[in-house]
Amino acid sequence: MSNPSSPIFDQSYQPWEGTFVSHAWRAPVIAWSSMRNMIRASGIAFGLVYGLAALVLGIVMLIVLAEAKIPSEAVYNSFGASVFISSLLLVPVVGGNLVSGDIRHNAHLMYFSKSIYRVDYMAGKGAAALLLLAPGILLPCLLAATFPAVTSFAPVSNTHLVRVFAALLALVPVALLPAVAVCMAISSCTRRAWLAGIGWFALFAIPWVVGKTLEGARLKWAHLVSFNGNVTAVAAWILPLPESGTSVLADERLKYADPWMSALILAAVTLGSFALVFHRIATAERRS
């Protein structure tokens, strides 16, 4: 029988024996620590889910690379597929425990008893998720960009390939920041990581199904309903058109004639989600 006077959470004082760093390096320290803790706590889940995502992406890449002849189009097709698969499978595993774990273990009191602000905490947690998720989008797209450039009969200049790579680097945060922000917001509202994962899955999958249904009804604004639709619309305008010949991207730009609206929706969702996380952290800190 446990001692009723013993604390539920052992938060006894332990003297700091490390080296103090400047304030700018505190968010990276949180990011590195969060990555290690997530991998240590969910190593098997990470391996299984990343393996499943890699298998699905590998099949998709074979289809994309078999049909693509222009790097821009290959990146566009693979980007949409990798964002969908990463958002569906990887985001809930990576982001579900970002804030809920700290709430569950009452860790915010220990975080904010140091010279760490809530912005530092959010930046560190978000950076950890971004670093774990980015390879799931970057690697397939880089493969899709370089393979057609090497094997295509149509000549592709190095300048165009550099523009494709630069556009890809700009697109990765466009896709991941809103996804991580929403998953962090859901994670901050529960103590259980699996509930946060289910919440993200519902918020991602249901609008996607609704958007696809509305697209079937030929509504021009159908893509604005879903996360993946908005990201795809922005990608169609950021990726450069090929140097010569016709392009699927040109047709996609006509289809998504309002990328600014999609960008505004993604920005609003990101800011609103981070605001909710900030509020929930403040509430957890006061209760601690």
Side-chain angles (χ1 to χ4, degrees), residues 208-230:
W208 179 76
V209 172
V210 172
K212 288 298 181 182
T213 304
L214 294 177
E215 283 185 11
R218 299 186 181 277
L219 296 176
K220 293 183 178 180
W221 49 268
H223 64 282
L224 299 175
V225 175
S226 67
F227 167 76
N228 218 64
N230 284 301

Side-chain angles (χ1 to χ4, degrees), residues 22-37:
S22 63
H23 194 93
W25 288 99
R26 290 171 193 177
V29 169
I30 295 174
W32 178 248
S33 176
S34 298
M35 288 176 59
R36 286 189 305 172
N37 290 338

Side-chain angles (χ1 to χ4, degrees), residues 108-132:
H108 289 107
L109 180 61
M110 291 183 285
Y111 270 110
F112 300 125
S113 63
K114 311 296 182 185
S115 352
I116 294 173
Y117 303 130
R118 293 176 199 142
V119 174
D120 301 328
Y121 173 84
M122 292 170 59
K125 292 288 184 175
L130 291 175
L131 290 172
L132 289 171

Side-chain angles (χ1 to χ4, degrees), residues 29-174:
V29 169
I30 295 174
W32 178 248
S33 176
S34 298
M35 288 176 59
R36 286 189 305 172
N37 290 338
M38 282 189 288
I39 294 174
R40 186 184 307 156
S42 307
I44 296 177
F46 271 112
L48 292 175
V49 175
Y50 267 88
L52 177 61
L55 176 62
V56 177
L57 277 174
I59 296 172
V60 172
M61 285 302 102
L62 289 176
I63 298 173
V64 169
L65 296 178
E67 298 179 354
K69 296 181 179 179
I70 304 173
S72 298
E73 294 181 3
V75 170
Y76 180 71
N77 294 330
S78 63
F79 178 77
S82 58
V83 167
F84 180 81
I85 295 169
S86 297
S87 299
L88 197 64
L89 299 178
L90 301 181
V91 169
V93 176
V94 172
N97 202 40
L98 277 179
V99 185
S100 62
D102 292 336
I103 295 176
R104 183 170 61 254
H105 295 103
N106 207 29
H108 289 107
L109 180 61
M110 291 183 285
Y111 270 110
F112 300 125
S113 63
K114 311 296 182 185
S115 352
I116 294 173
Y117 303 130
R118 293 176 199 142
V119 174
D120 301 328
Y121 173 84
M122 292 170 59
K125 292 288 184 175
L130 291 175
L131 290 172
L132 289 171
L133 290 169
I137 297 177
L138 268 176
L139 295 180
C141 292
L142 290 174
L143 175 64
T146 53
F147 188 83
V150 173
T151 61
S152 177
F153 293 105
V156 178
S157 68
N158 292 332
T159 302
H160 180 72
L161 202 57
V162 168
R163 290 176 61 200
V164 172
F165 288 154
L168 175 59
L169 292 177
L171 283 172
V172 171
V174 169

Side-chain angles (χ1 to χ4, degrees), residues 5 27 68 178 259:
S5 62

